[in-house]
Amino acid sequence: MAGGWRGGGAARRFLVGLAGPPAAGKSTRAEALRDGLIARGESAEVLPMDGFHMDNGILAARGLLQRKGVPESFDGRGFIDIVHALKKADGEVLVPVFDRSRELAINAARAIPGETRFIVAEGNYLLFKDAPWDRLDGVFDFTIFVGPPYPVLEERLRRRWQGYALPEDQIGWKLYGNDLPNGKRILENSRPADLHIDLF
C-alpha cells in the first residue's frame, strides 16, 4: 500500500514493512529503526523474514536448494499468518529465528509481547505482487523499499559472498545464477512503498 503514514496517534500496534532485494541493507535499517524507537521511549521489535526459510531437506526435495532465497523457498503462508497475528495485538506471538551458522530456522524461538507497540517486519517479499505475498497488501501502516540500482546490487552481493571466502566460481553462480536474477525480480515486481530509499 502507498499513501503515507497510517494508524499513528493512539494506535495500539503499528506495523512497518521494510522490503528490498538481498544485500540492500534491510536488516541493518530495521534494527536501526527499532533502536531509534526504543531510544524515544517506545517499545519495538524486528520481525525478519529469514526465520521463514523452508528447511533444506524440503528445498532439496523440491529442487530449490541451490535457489534458496527465491519466493518459493520461503514459508509464505507462515510469515503472512504471523504478520496478521501481530496486527491483532491481542497477546504474545511466538516467532521463528534463523540460525545462520546451521542454515536452519528454529520454530517459536522468540516471543514478541502483546504490548509491543511497533513491529518492523523486514524481508525481500513484503511488497511483492505475486501470491501469496499479495495478501500483505494494506496490512502495514507504513512501508519502506530499499532499492539499489542493478550495478550497486551486483557489487554489494559480490562483497557479501567474498566475505564468506567462497571460491570465485561459487561466487559467480550465487551472483548470476540466483541472487541477481532474484534481486531483479524483486525490483521489478514489488508494489510502490510509502518511502523509497535509493542506494548509490
Side-chain angles (χ1 to χ4, degrees), residues 106-199:
I106 304 170
N107 187 44
R110 183 164 63 96
I112 296 182
E115 62 270 20
T116 303
R117 178 149 190 242
F118 288 90
I119 305 295
V120 184
E122 64 91 0
N124 297 347
Y125 305 111
L126 275 60
L127 295 173
F128 210 53
K129 294 177 182 177
D130 294 348
W133 311 101
D134 56 346
R135 289 172 50 202
L136 292 171
D137 190 10
V139 174
F140 298 107
D141 298 293
F142 192 76
T143 55
I144 304 167
F145 189 85
V146 184
Y150 189 88
V152 175
L153 183 61
E154 181 178 17
E155 179 57 30
R156 290 174 71 96
L157 283 165
R158 179 176 292 279
R159 288 202 306 267
R160 168 186 279 187
W161 291 118
Q162 286 173 338
Y164 286 95
L166 293 177
E168 190 59 33
D169 60 335
Q170 289 188 33
I171 291 176
W173 155 250
K174 287 185 175 294
L175 275 174
Y176 303 108
N178 189 48
D179 287 356
L180 281 171
N182 195 37
K184 187 171 185 286
R185 186 178 174 188
I186 294 165
L187 290 171
E188 294 177 351
N189 201 38
S190 293
R191 297 185 301 277
D194 297 314
L195 174 64
H196 189 112
I197 301 174
D198 291 312
L199 301 177

Side-chain angles (χ1 to χ4, degrees), residues 24-40:
K26 297 182 299 298
S27 59
T28 300
R29 284 171 172 77
E31 290 166 4
L33 179 53
R34 176 202 59 200
D35 294 347
L37 287 164
I38 291 173
R40 292 171 63 92

Side-chain angles (χ1 to χ4, degrees), residues 41-167:
E42 299 284 359
S43 54
E45 294 277 357
V46 174
L47 175 70
M49 185 179 280
D50 272 357
F52 297 84
H53 278 290
M54 289 183 187
D55 186 79
N56 284 352
I58 294 178
L59 294 178
R62 297 183 180 183
L64 288 171
L65 188 56
Q66 297 302 314
R67 302 297 314 282
K68 194 167 184 174
V70 297
E72 300 79 14
S73 69
F74 284 89
D75 175 15
R77 178 178 178 178
F79 180 78
I80 292 161
D81 287 349
I82 288 287
V83 170
H84 280 278
L86 289 168
K87 181 77 171 178
K88 292 178 182 177
D90 59 359
E92 177 183 84
V93 176
L94 297 174
V95 302
V97 171
F98 188 67
D99 184 339
R100 194 162 295 279
S101 66
R102 292 185 287 169
E103 280 291 304
L104 57 81
I106 304 170
N107 187 44
R110 183 164 63 96
I112 296 182
E115 62 270 20
T116 303
R117 178 149 190 242
F118 288 90
I119 305 295
V120 184
E122 64 91 0
N124 297 347
Y125 305 111
L126 275 60
L127 295 173
F128 210 53
K129 294 177 182 177
D130 294 348
W133 311 101
D134 56 346
R135 289 172 50 202
L136 292 171
D137 190 10
V139 174
F140 298 107
D141 298 293
F142 192 76
T143 55
I144 304 167
F145 189 85
V146 184
Y150 189 88
V152 175
L153 183 61
E154 181 178 17
E155 179 57 30
R156 290 174 71 96
L157 283 165
R158 179 176 292 279
R159 288 202 306 267
R160 168 186 279 187
W161 291 118
Q162 286 173 338
Y164 286 95
L166 293 177

